[in-house]
């Protein structure tokens, strides 16, 4: 049983690199390189926290120069952070970054592993990180990765000795790796992972150091390097026509959503790794010293090595199929290896090499990219033997009982095409990333099936096994069902084959704000996963809200088509919030998920199912001033959000700032990082200050201190720092409780700071002119109070406000207190009549 599971685990690792991609058609050089890797029996696991943390130069060097099996364990999938290429954020961003890591590994030859830890956003210290992650679960997953991958060498990206100097996730990855190094061989530690695999002791643990960990190049040059190895990661691969650092740059450039596309480098370059733990080094060159990385490493390996080294040394680049008889002989021997780890690993590698040498082309293409439960779809199966070897196709089978007998000899270079039906079982679960199937916590994904933990993606369910005889030796080659099509402007394209529900629905707006009692209409888009969908749709909602009509009918003729329904939502009279979600009834079944498609050319097409819901917020909000001008900086959703609460917002270009334009507005709001990204803005500062002097309001949102393009951010002296409050629940203290900003037109209380998301704010000023009044004070645990999150100054007849509070994050999440506070900021100075009346009471 244990063996069977281990086998499944490894098989899945392999399949995932090739699935649903355009099938690779390897050249003789690529076959030769695979053979070199087959003949190297050593492995390296690189450990860090996020997609893009990994040093692709080192991963590529280990994989392509050393020929080691090389893995990258990224503790998270990078859900936090920004997306430079599209609208996907949080868990959907994690899906993209997972695929970008897989794309990077396809380039540098590594493999990809994960834990269940979630990238919850910036963390200042590993103590905080490890309290938000479930430390025990993440450590268990790191140990599982080590026990399954069985690395000889582990290399940490980050230093475990310097907590607080980098992202808490980074230091945590190093700390957990260190702990796991000591525990992985102890059967009493995390015994539940031993149901899937066996204990393992890696030989050595290193830290991938470099000058940036020493503060400067000079410090690093003078540092004691007796405990370090230096590796020339600029080696040239004539077979590839590329330097190792060029391969690495190509791999890193897969991280497009993070803007990691970069120039390639060439030429000799040193990379340093510092020895931390394990068997001492014997020299400053060989990280595998004392480890036999030849076939002699395993019992029964010598005979296999004798065959395979001979093929490697006498490889026929003109006709690799001449090696098939010896390869089949080695294949038989490999299948008899006692050690299950090596047996499964090397069987798989060897099978692929045999398939490549024989010039076999096996492909299973579905008629569509998706199907739903109980549907029968047509498969096109292509079988081609491009060698003069004797190859017989016996049967084609799949796990759910399909078995087609063929018993035919595959004539040289003769294409055989079979059309076969594939029935999707009635109880088939739809395709979606396994780690998103259950609602997790802030720090952890919830994965109910322990066999999925650590896998980069959900294993493909629909595969066909081709049972062949090659030179009279039976061999089974497995291929996933894919979808192949063409577009006139793109040529031949491949997509994964997915199972989707027969009905799904989405509400077009994710957060719907009601600034008064008026009802609003929402659109619900229902998508059919099959032909002739007849359904009824209702909207679940909080009790004190109403929705009309109660239900609506849907009738969609063709699969893949959509129908839009409009429902009216009536808010209650007072402040209230909750969720609405569509429920689709099809006969006796109910569907509540939204189907999200992620389509970028650098990664395979992704289908994600998430609960379909939108947040509804009835705000108790008053506001003054109607017309707002907005200057977009790095990009945010603030203008749309302000429109939702009834403001008239016009986004203007910085070039269009002039006295006449400004005179049309009550306030001007500057988007996030505008003074980092808009070079023209500093030249418009004086006109903006003049607008304030004449009675306008100016609100500037956060900028980073690094790369600020002006000294004159405000009409008075103001210094931005790196102060930030990352705890979104940090206590907020009112420094000036009677200040207009906290009282008019909305009375701000502590309740308004509840339910904030991700953080309070960032890059707060830490020094300012006396003209500024600080309004709020807050800080992260164990830090001094930070008073610069919201600063206001009267300037002439108007007001200038600088704020590092994260309104750009809070608005899209419908955080009511953030809206009420911002309305006060926009209303400042416009309350005179009301204010005087109040004061005279
Ligand atoms: Zn990172």
């Amino acid at each position: 049983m244990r063996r069977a599971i281990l086998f499944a685990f490894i098989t899945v690792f392999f399949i995932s690199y090739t699935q649903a991609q355009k099938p690779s058609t390897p050249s003789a050089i690529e076959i030769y390189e695979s053979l070199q890797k087959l003949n190297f029996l050593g492995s390296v696991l690189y450990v860090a926290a996020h997609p893009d943390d990994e040093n692709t130069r080192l991963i590529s060097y280990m994989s392509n120069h050393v020929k080691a099996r090389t893995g990258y364990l990224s503790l998270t999938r990078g859900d936090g952070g920004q997306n430079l290429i599209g609208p996907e954020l949080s868990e959907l961003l994690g899906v993209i970054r997972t695929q970008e890591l897989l794309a990077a590994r396809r380039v540098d030859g590594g493999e990809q592993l994960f834990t269940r830890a979630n990238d919850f956003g910036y963390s200042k210290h590993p103590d905080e990180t490890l309290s938000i992650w479930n430390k025990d679960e993440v450590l268990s997953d790191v140990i599982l990765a080590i026990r399954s991958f069985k690395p000889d060498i582990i290399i940490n990206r980050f230093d475990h000795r310097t907590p607080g100097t980098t992202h808490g996730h980074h230091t945590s990855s190093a700390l957990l790796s260190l702990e796991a190094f000591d525990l992985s061989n102890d059967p009493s530690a995390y015994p539940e992972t031993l149901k899937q695999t066996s204990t393992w002791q890696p030989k050595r643990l290193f830290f991938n150091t470099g000058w940036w960990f020493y503060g400067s190049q000079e410090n690093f040059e003078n540092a004691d390097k007796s405990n370090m190895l230096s590796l020339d990661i600029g080696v040239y691969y004539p077979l590839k026509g590329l330097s190792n650092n060029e391969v690495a740059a190509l791999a890193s450039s897969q991280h497009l959503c993070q803007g990691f596309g970069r120039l390639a480098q060439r030429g000799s370059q040193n990379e340093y790794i510092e020895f931390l733990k394990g068997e001492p080094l014997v020299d400053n060159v060989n990280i595998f010293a004392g480890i036999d990385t030849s076939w002699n490493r395993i019992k029964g390996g010598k005979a296999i090595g004798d065959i395979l080294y001979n093929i490697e040394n006498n490889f026929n680049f003109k006709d690799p199929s001449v090696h098939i008889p010896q390869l089949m002989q080695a294949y038989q021997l490999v299948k008899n290896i006692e050690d299950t780890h090596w047996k499964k690993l090397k069987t798989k590698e060897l099978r692929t090499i045999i398939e490549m040498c024989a010039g076999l082309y096996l492909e299973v293409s579905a008629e569509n990219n998706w199907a739903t439960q109980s549907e029968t779809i047509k498969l096109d199966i292509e079988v081609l033997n491009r060698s003069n070897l004797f190859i017989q196709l016996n049967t084609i089978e799949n796990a759910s009982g399909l078995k087609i007998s063929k018993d035919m000899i595959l004539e040289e270079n003769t294409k055989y095409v079979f059309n076969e039906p594939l029935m999707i079982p009635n109880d088939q679960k739809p395709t979606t990333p396994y780690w998103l199937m259950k609602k997790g916590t802030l720090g952890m994904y919830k994965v109910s099936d322990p066999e999925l933990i650590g896998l980069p993606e959900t294993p493909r369910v629909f595969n066909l096994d081709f049972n062949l005889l090659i030179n009279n030796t039976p061999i089974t080659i497995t291929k996933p069902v894919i979808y192949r099509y063409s577009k006139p402007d793109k040529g031949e394209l491949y997509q994964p084959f997915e199972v989707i529900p027969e009905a799904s629905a989405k509400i077009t707006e994710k957060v719907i704000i009601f600034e008064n009692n008026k009802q609003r209409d929402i659109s619900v888009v229902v998508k059919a996963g099959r032909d002739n969908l007849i359904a009824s749709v209702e909207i679940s909602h909080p009790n004190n809200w109403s929705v009309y009509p109660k239900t609506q009918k849907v009738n969609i003729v063709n699969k893949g088509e959509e129908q839009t329904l409009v429902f009216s939502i009536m808010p209650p009279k007072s402040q209230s919030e909750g969720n609405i979600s569509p429920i689709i009834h099809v006969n006796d079944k109910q569907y509540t998920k939204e189907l999200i498609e992620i389509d970028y050319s650098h990664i395979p097409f992704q289908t994600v199912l998430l609960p379909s819901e939108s947040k509804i917020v009835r705000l108790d909000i008053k506001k003054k001033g109607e017309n707002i001008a907005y200057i977009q900086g790095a990009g945010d959703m603030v203008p749309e959000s302000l429109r939702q609460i009834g403001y008239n917002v016009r986004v203007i270009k910085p070039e269009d700032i002039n006295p006449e334009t400004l005179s049309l507005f009550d306030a001007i709001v500057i988007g996030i990082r505008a003074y980092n990204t808009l070079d023209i803005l500093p030249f418009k500062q004086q006109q903006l200050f003049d607008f304030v002097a004449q009675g306008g309001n100016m609100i500037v949102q956060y900028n980073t201190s690094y790369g600020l393009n002006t000294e004159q951010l405000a009409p008075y002296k103001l210094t931005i720092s790196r102060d930030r409050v990352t705890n979104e629940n940090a206590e907020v203290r009112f420094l000036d409780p009677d200040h207009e900003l906290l009282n008019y037109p909305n009375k701000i209380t502590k309740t308004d700071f509840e339910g904030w998301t991700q953080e309070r704010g960032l890059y707060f000023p830490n020094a300012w002119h006396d003209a500024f009044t600080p309004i709020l004070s807050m800080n992260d645990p164990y830090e001094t109070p930070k008073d610069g999150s919201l600063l206001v100054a009267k300037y002439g007849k108007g007001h200038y406000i600088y704020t590092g509070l994260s309104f750009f994050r809070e608005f899209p999440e419908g955080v009511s207190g953030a809206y009420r506070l911002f309305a006060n900021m926009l209303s400042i100075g416009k309350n005179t009549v009301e204010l005087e009346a109040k004061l005279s009471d």
Side-chain angles (χ1 to χ4, degrees):
M1 183 61 189
R2 180 184 297 181
R3 287 174 186 197
I5 294 169
L6 178 65
F7 176 65
F9 193 68
I10 291 164
T11 306
V12 159
F13 268 141
F14 267 89
I15 291 171
S16 59
Y17 302 118
T18 50
Q19 68 187 15
Q21 295 300 302
K22 195 161 188 160
S24 64
T25 47
S27 67
I29 284 172
E30 287 162 308
I31 301 173
Y32 175 70
E33 288 176 330
S34 302
L35 198 58
Q36 289 180 306
K37 287 193 70 126
L38 176 71
N39 284 340
F40 187 93
L41 283 76
S43 56
V44 178
L45 185 64
Y46 197 82
V47 181
H50 306 119
D52 89 352
D53 283 348
E54 83 273 24
N55 182 345
T56 52
R57 296 179 300 272
L58 203 49
I59 290 175
S60 174
Y61 178 87
M62 291 300 166
S63 173
N64 295 304
H65 179 72
V66 179
K67 307 292 178 193
R69 180 181 182 219
T70 309
Y72 171 39
L73 173 62
S74 175
L75 298 199
T76 76
R77 295 173 188 269
D79 291 22
Q82 315 285 323
N83 179 0
L84 286 177
I85 56 171
E88 297 84 2
L89 286 174
S90 54
E91 64 266 65
L92 297 177
L93 185 59
V95 172
I96 294 178
R97 292 187 174 179
T98 296
Q99 290 301 325
E100 290 186 339
L101 279 173
L102 289 169
R105 298 297 80 80
R106 282 191 286 272
V107 174
D108 61 30
E111 297 175 32
Q112 188 58 49
L113 301 86
F114 291 98
T115 75
R116 285 169 290 173
N118 191 0
D119 174 7
F120 55 83
Y122 191 76
S123 173
K124 287 177 179 169
H125 199 278
D127 289 351
E128 183 203 43
T129 302
L130 294 172
S131 67
I132 294 177
W133 286 350
N134 180 329
K135 189 207 158 182
D136 213 42
E137 282 182 10
V138 186
L139 180 57
S140 166
D141 291 359
V142 175
I143 289 173
L144 173 66
I146 293 173
R147 286 174 173 173
S148 306
F149 194 85
K150 302 198 187 307
D152 298 309
I153 307 295
I154 296 179
I155 304 175
N156 290 347
R157 165 77 285 191
F158 297 104
D159 194 345
H160 62 285
R161 297 157 293 199
T162 52
T165 58
T166 177
H167 200 318
H169 299 176
H170 291 165
T171 315
S172 298
S173 74
L175 288 166
L176 292 170
S177 166
L178 208 73
E179 235 179 291
F181 184 88
D182 292 335
L183 290 174
S184 297
N185 206 30
D186 175 357
S188 67
Y190 298 90
E192 64 284 356
T193 66
L194 294 172
K195 289 180 192 143
Q196 283 157 264
T197 179
S198 55
T199 55
W200 179 253
Q201 181 56 58
K203 195 73 103 185
R204 295 189 182 95
L205 177 66
F206 293 92
F207 157 50
N208 183 191
T209 189
W211 68 263
W212 57 93
F213 292 101
Y214 286 74
S216 71
Q217 296 265 21
E218 199 188 348
N219 288 353
F220 187 59
E221 269 162 36
N222 298 328
D224 173 18
K225 296 197 190 60
S226 56
N227 217 17
M228 291 182 198
L229 282 179
S230 105
L231 307 163
D232 181 2
I233 51 82
V235 286
Y236 177 60
Y237 305 126
L239 290 182
K240 292 183 192 295
L242 290 168
S243 294
N244 182 69
N245 23 16
E246 283 182 290
V247 177
L250 287 172
S252 288
S253 296
Q254 302 302 309
H255 292 300
L256 292 183
C257 77
Q258 314 205 49
F260 254 59
R262 60 181 171 96
L263 279 178
Q265 289 175 312
R266 283 165 287 274
S268 183
Q269 218 181 332
N270 277 335
E271 193 67 51
Y272 291 88
I273 55 174
E274 178 188 345
F275 175 76
L276 295 179
K277 239 177 199 289
E279 217 171 275
L281 290 168
V282 289
D283 57 34
N284 280 53
V285 183
N286 186 8
I287 63 166
F288 284 100
I291 304 166
D292 189 347
T293 55
S294 77
W295 278 99
N296 293 337
R297 177 175 190 160
I298 50 179
K299 198 177 157 195
K302 184 170 182 312
I304 301 167
D306 286 347
I307 300 170
L308 294 177
Y309 292 129
N310 185 44
I311 301 177
E312 184 184 334
N313 293 334
N314 302 293
F315 190 72
N316 187 331
F317 286 88
K318 285 186 181 160
D319 183 9
S321 73
V322 300
H323 301 299
I324 289 282
Q326 288 76 39
L327 287 169
M328 292 309 292
Q329 210 185 329
Y331 180 68
Q332 289 294 83
L333 293 172
V334 167
K335 286 207 303 187
N336 292 327
I337 296 173
E338 270 174 40
D339 184 309
T340 51
H341 172 71
W342 287 112
K343 179 163 97 174
K344 302 313 169 199
L345 204 60
K346 292 297 169 188
T347 306
K348 180 79 193 169
E349 282 183 74
L350 196 46
R351 205 186 280 135
T352 306
I353 290 172
I354 291 167
E355 180 190 349
M356 296 190 291
C357 283
L360 270 170
Y361 192 88
L362 306 170
E363 185 178 275
V364 188
S365 178
E367 63 185 304
N368 209 320
N369 64 322
W370 40 256
T372 191
Q373 292 101 331
S374 320
E375 192 178 344
T376 298
I377 53 145
K378 208 176 82 204
L379 297 179
D380 271 351
I381 304 170
E382 182 180 338
V383 180
L384 178 58
N385 165 22
R386 291 176 292 187
S387 71
N388 60 8
L389 297 162
F390 172 81
I391 301 182
Q392 182 172 324
L393 172 62
N394 287 344
T395 56
I396 303 171
E397 305 179 35
N398 80 354
S400 51
L402 175 86
K403 183 164 183 173
I404 311 152
S405 286
K406 292 291 176 195
D407 291 320
M408 57 191 290
I409 290 161
L410 302 176
E411 300 291 344
E412 184 177 353
N413 211 21
T414 302
K415 185 170 97 167
Y416 300 90
V417 176
F418 313 116
N419 292 315
E420 298 288 347
L422 178 73
M423 159 89 178
I424 313 296
N426 195 20
D427 57 353
Q428 184 61 55
K429 285 207 184 83
T431 323
T432 195
Y434 71 85
W435 62 95
L436 299 178
M437 279 161 70
K438 287 224 158 127
K439 196 170 172 57
T441 61
L442 174 65
M444 298 300 297
Y445 298 118
K446 205 180 181 112
V447 178
S448 28
D449 180 354
E451 288 183 33
L452 295 173
I453 293 171
L455 298 186
E457 53 186 343
T458 313
R460 293 281 142 197
V461 238
F462 295 105
N463 300 295
L464 289 196
D465 293 337
F466 293 83
N467 296 314
L468 304 156
L469 273 185
I470 300 183
N471 269 16
N472 291 313
T473 306
I475 186 166
T476 299
I477 294 171
T478 304
K479 294 285 164 187
V481 177
I482 46 88
Y483 172 56
R484 182 168 81 118
Y485 64 111
S486 69
K487 276 189 180 171
D489 56 338
K490 294 209 168 70
E492 185 180 61
L493 295 166
Y494 282 81
Q495 268 187 31
F497 173 72
E498 318 271 36
V499 176
I500 62 167
E502 58 183 331
S504 56
K506 73 167 178 201
I507 302 173
T508 43
E509 288 172 271
K510 288 292 162 222
V511 173
I512 305 152
I513 310 274
F514 297 76
E515 46 141 349
N516 52 37
N517 291 341
K518 277 196 207 128
Q519 68 174 52
R520 284 185 57 183
D521 289 348
I522 56 149
S523 296
V524 179
V525 183
V526 179
K527 183 172 185 135
R530 65 166 170 81
D531 291 342
N532 301 316
L533 179 76
I534 296 171
S536 71
V537 182
E538 62 172 321
I539 307 286
S540 80
H541 58 85
N543 283 335
N544 53 338
W545 294 66
S546 327
V547 175
Y548 300 103
K550 283 268 167 268
T551 63
Q552 294 194 55
K553 287 263 176 269
V554 164
N555 191 340
I556 303 177
V557 178
N558 296 314
K559 110 172 167 183
E561 281 179 4
E562 296 177 337
Q563 187 177 332
T564 301
L565 306 172
V566 176
F567 287 89
S568 298
I569 312 276
M570 291 275 290
K573 290 203 165 58
S574 55
Q575 185 147 325
S576 167
E577 60 180 64
N579 288 318
I580 50 171
S581 36
I583 305 169
I584 315 166
H585 300 269
V586 184
N587 299 322
D588 56 343
K589 286 187 179 166
Q590 280 189 17
Y591 297 95
T592 56
K593 297 280 175 72
E594 174 179 355
L595 180 75
I596 299 145
E597 296 168 23
I598 302 177
D599 190 6
Y600 293 104
S601 58
H602 66 305
I603 56 172
F605 190 93
Q606 297 293 302
T607 305
V608 186
L609 281 170
L610 290 178
S612 179
E613 60 179 22
S614 293
K615 186 173 177 184
I616 44 173
V617 182
R618 163 70 170 98
L619 270 182
D620 180 10
I621 193 166
K622 298 188 200 82
K623 52 193 197 304
K624 297 279 168 164
E626 279 183 12
N627 298 314
I628 314 292
Y630 201 89
I631 305 283
Q632 278 289 10
D636 55 59
M637 308 272 283
V638 173
E640 292 88 328
S641 301
L642 293 178
R643 282 183 199 123
Q644 283 234 26
I645 57 167
Y647 278 106
N648 221 334
V649 185
R650 203 168 111 197
V651 177
I652 60 171
K653 289 191 193 129
E655 297 88 311
D656 296 337
I657 295 172
N658 59 53
E660 288 107 88
T661 308
L662 290 175
S663 71
L664 304 171
F665 300 101
D666 299 299
I668 181 152
V669 182
I670 313 289
I672 59 166
R673 298 206 304 279
Y675 295 95
N676 299 121
T677 54
L678 303 175
D679 290 337
I680 187 178
L681 204 49
F683 299 101
K684 297 288 184 178
Q685 281 301 77
Q686 196 49 55
Q687 294 186 31
L688 291 169
F689 297 157
D690 291 346
F691 163 72
V692 177
Q694 285 152 26
N697 287 338
M698 175 172 178
I699 299 173
V700 181
Q701 299 174 82
Y702 97 91
N703 290 274
T704 62
S705 46
Y706 177 79
L708 198 62
N709 62 17
T710 178
E711 305 250 295
Q712 286 259 288
L713 199 56
Y716 306 104
K717 183 91 183 121
L718 185 66
T719 312
I720 297 178
S721 74
R722 297 182 65 84
D723 288 351
R724 63 199 289 174
V725 176
T726 54
N727 180 353
E728 68 273 26
N729 297 313
E731 187 203 359
V732 177
R733 298 170 294 270
F734 295 176
L735 294 171
D736 188 353
D738 295 329
H739 197 278
E740 197 183 341
L741 272 186
L742 294 175
N743 291 282
Y744 303 103
N746 302 293
K747 174 80 185 164
I748 302 296
T749 67
K750 301 257 165 171
T751 319
D752 289 300
F753 291 95
E754 287 172 8
W756 282 48
T757 178
Q758 195 154 341
E759 63 189 356
R760 287 288 188 207
L762 64 175
Y763 293 98
F764 298 161
N766 64 352
W768 49 83
H769 187 276
D770 285 346
F772 280 108
T773 306
I775 305 295
L776 305 171
S777 178
M778 59 189 74
N779 53 273
D780 276 329
Y782 314 112
E783 293 193 353
T784 55
K786 306 287 179 264
D787 295 352
S789 67
L790 179 58
L791 299 167
V792 56
K794 183 114 183 68
Y795 179 72
K797 292 184 201 156
H799 290 83
Y800 175 96
I801 295 174
Y802 190 90
T803 183
L805 291 172
S806 292
F807 291 102
F808 72 104
R809 289 199 201 282
E810 310 309 320
F811 286 167
E813 298 293 329
V815 177
S816 47
Y819 280 99
R820 285 162 44 86
L821 179 58
F822 209 87
N824 281 12
M825 290 156 62
L826 288 167
S827 306
I828 194 166
K830 310 220 179 290
N831 297 307
T832 349
V833 179
E834 219 174 299
L835 195 59
E836 275 164 8
K838 288 242 180 196
L839 291 173
S840 66
D841 276 352

